[in-house]
Amino acid sequence: MSTLRTVVIGLLAVGLVAGGRPAPGLAVATGNPLKLTSGFYVDPDSSAARFVRRHPGATEIKTRIADQAGARWFGGTSGDVKQAVTAYTTAADKLDKLPVLVAGNIPGRDCGGRWSGGAESPSAYRTWISQFSDGIGARPAIVVIEPDALARLDCLPRKDRPARIALLKYAANQFATKNPNTWAYLDAGTATTLETKEMARRLRLVDIGKVRGFALNVSNYYTTEESEARGTAIKAALGGAGEFVIDTSRNGNGSNGSWCNPTGRKLGAPTQVGAAPDQAAFTAGTPADLLLWLTTPGTSDGLCGPTPTIPLGTFSPVLATHLITGT
């Protein structure tokens, strides 16, 4: 851990009471996790990394995918989420690296679709997301909050939508008040999700102004340019507030309209800093804060495409090779 970061985190920790909550009367500092770290964390236990350990001859998958920085997803199968998040962020912190995490456990997740599940009740979710936040504490982190939860709000019965809005608002406020060195981003769908003004309206409902901004293209294939245009438009609709990040893990050839293991797609730009302030100006040549691999390339979208027997979330060398070659 760098001396600067040790001092900054130590000073912040002095002002935190048990559970990571600000002490009474203390203004929460807003740290820059990029300044407190020296690059992004490579998950040593990603599905691609586990595959490579079992198949040491898969050198191209190792160098092109497993050795690249990406996100780890946490949900209902993560066990004690506070313990899991603490372990992950601590491991990154020891290497002076910045971890990227995705929180995905909202009740009624995906409305019973391919990525169904989630916490059993609003109360259970509040406990879960609070413990997620506690697991980060003052350590630097990037967090993407609940992919598809806002974009697919309409799939819920009308009577259940206010509850989801309230939970997303609660989640945003947890990170805003308890994690001074975390940049959190609420998910805002893809380049074609809803009308721009409607997405901006929904983001306002969940307190977008309390967190760093919003995320686009999570687990999807739209080009960086398409997502940049959408992000810039949403930001304008928000009155210039809110930065954005883009999932570039599988968008090298853009979208062909299919979301489920489409062939002909390709790896996108690796995880890197974009136009985040106080960094080398427009490192990635993009108005986005960050370009992130939020999905591990080679992970199946479901029982479809060239791997109809590979379940959702399972790593496939066939899919990985398609993405490496763009075929």
Side-chain angles (χ1 to χ4, degrees):
M1 182 185 296
S2 68
T3 302
L4 171 63
R5 185 171 58 178
T6 301
V7 172
V8 172
I9 292 178
L11 288 172
L12 288 167
V14 169
L16 297 177
V17 297
R21 292 172 178 81
L26 178 73
V28 178
T30 301
N32 183 332
L34 299 176
K35 283 187 163 185
L36 297 173
T37 50
S38 59
F40 293 93
Y41 185 53
V42 177
D43 184 356
D45 201 38
S46 69
S47 56
R50 293 196 301 271
F51 174 83
V52 168
R53 283 198 291 271
R54 296 192 304 270
H55 303 86
T59 55
E60 194 164 29
I61 291 176
K62 180 180 187 301
T63 57
R64 297 291 300 279
I65 298 177
D67 289 348
Q68 302 299 316
R72 179 177 288 191
W73 290 52
F74 294 82
T77 60
S78 298
D80 183 326
V81 73
K82 180 179 178 180
Q83 182 178 20
V85 170
T86 298
Y88 192 65
T89 54
T90 299
D93 197 50
K94 287 179 178 178
L95 296 175
D96 197 30
K97 299 300 181 183
L98 179 58
V100 181
L101 303 85
V102 179
N105 196 37
I106 202 158
R109 189 182 66 196
D110 205 23
C111 298
R114 65 187 177 105
W115 194 46
S116 59
E120 294 182 358
S121 68
S123 176
Y125 181 75
R126 288 189 181 91
T127 298
W128 185 87
I129 200 68
S130 177
Q131 291 176 346
F132 188 117
S133 173
D134 289 342
I136 297 174
R139 286 181 290 275
I142 301 295
V143 176
V144 173
I145 304 170
E146 299 296 341
D148 289 341
L150 269 183
R152 301 207 65 206
L153 184 66
D154 295 342
C155 75
L156 294 172
R158 187 174 296 275
K159 65 180 179 61
D160 294 336
R161 296 174 194 173
R164 173 166 290 187
I165 292 293
L167 291 180
L168 290 170
K169 185 174 181 179
Y170 181 85
N173 279 272
Q174 288 291 295
F175 296 113
T177 59
K178 291 162 58 180
N179 305 118
N181 296 309
T182 290
W183 280 356
Y185 300 86
L186 290 151
D187 185 70
T190 72
T192 61
T193 302
L194 304 175
E195 293 294 329
T196 298
K197 290 183 179 180
E198 172 59 15
M199 182 54 74
R201 184 188 72 83
R202 294 186 185 190
L203 287 169
R204 288 193 193 94
L205 289 176
V206 295
D207 279 358
I208 184 67
K210 298 287 186 67
V211 296
R212 178 70 181 177
F214 55 94
L216 293 167
N217 203 49
V218 179
S219 297
N220 221 297
Y221 300 88
Y222 291 95
T223 65
T224 301
E225 292 74 19
E226 289 172 306
S227 296
E228 287 171 343
R230 183 57 186 270
T232 300
I234 291 175
K235 186 174 178 178
L238 290 169
E243 306 301 333
F244 63 94
V245 298
I246 301 170
D247 184 351
T248 57
S249 56
R250 306 184 294 183
N251 75 345
N253 281 345
S255 172
N256 66 353
S258 173
W259 56 264
C260 198
N261 298 332
T263 56
R265 305 310 94 202
K266 194 174 183 179
L267 298 176
T271 293
Q272 59 190 277
V273 176
D278 300 323
Q279 307 304 308
F282 291 84
T283 305
T286 171
D289 247 1
L290 309 167
L291 304 182
L292 301 172
W293 278 19
L294 296 174
T295 303
T296 300
T299 302
S300 177
D301 294 322
L303 306 176
C304 54
T307 54
T309 62
I310 304 297
L312 172 69
T314 303
F315 184 83
S316 164
V318 173
L319 294 174
T321 300
H322 276 296
L323 288 167
I324 289 170
T325 61
T327 59

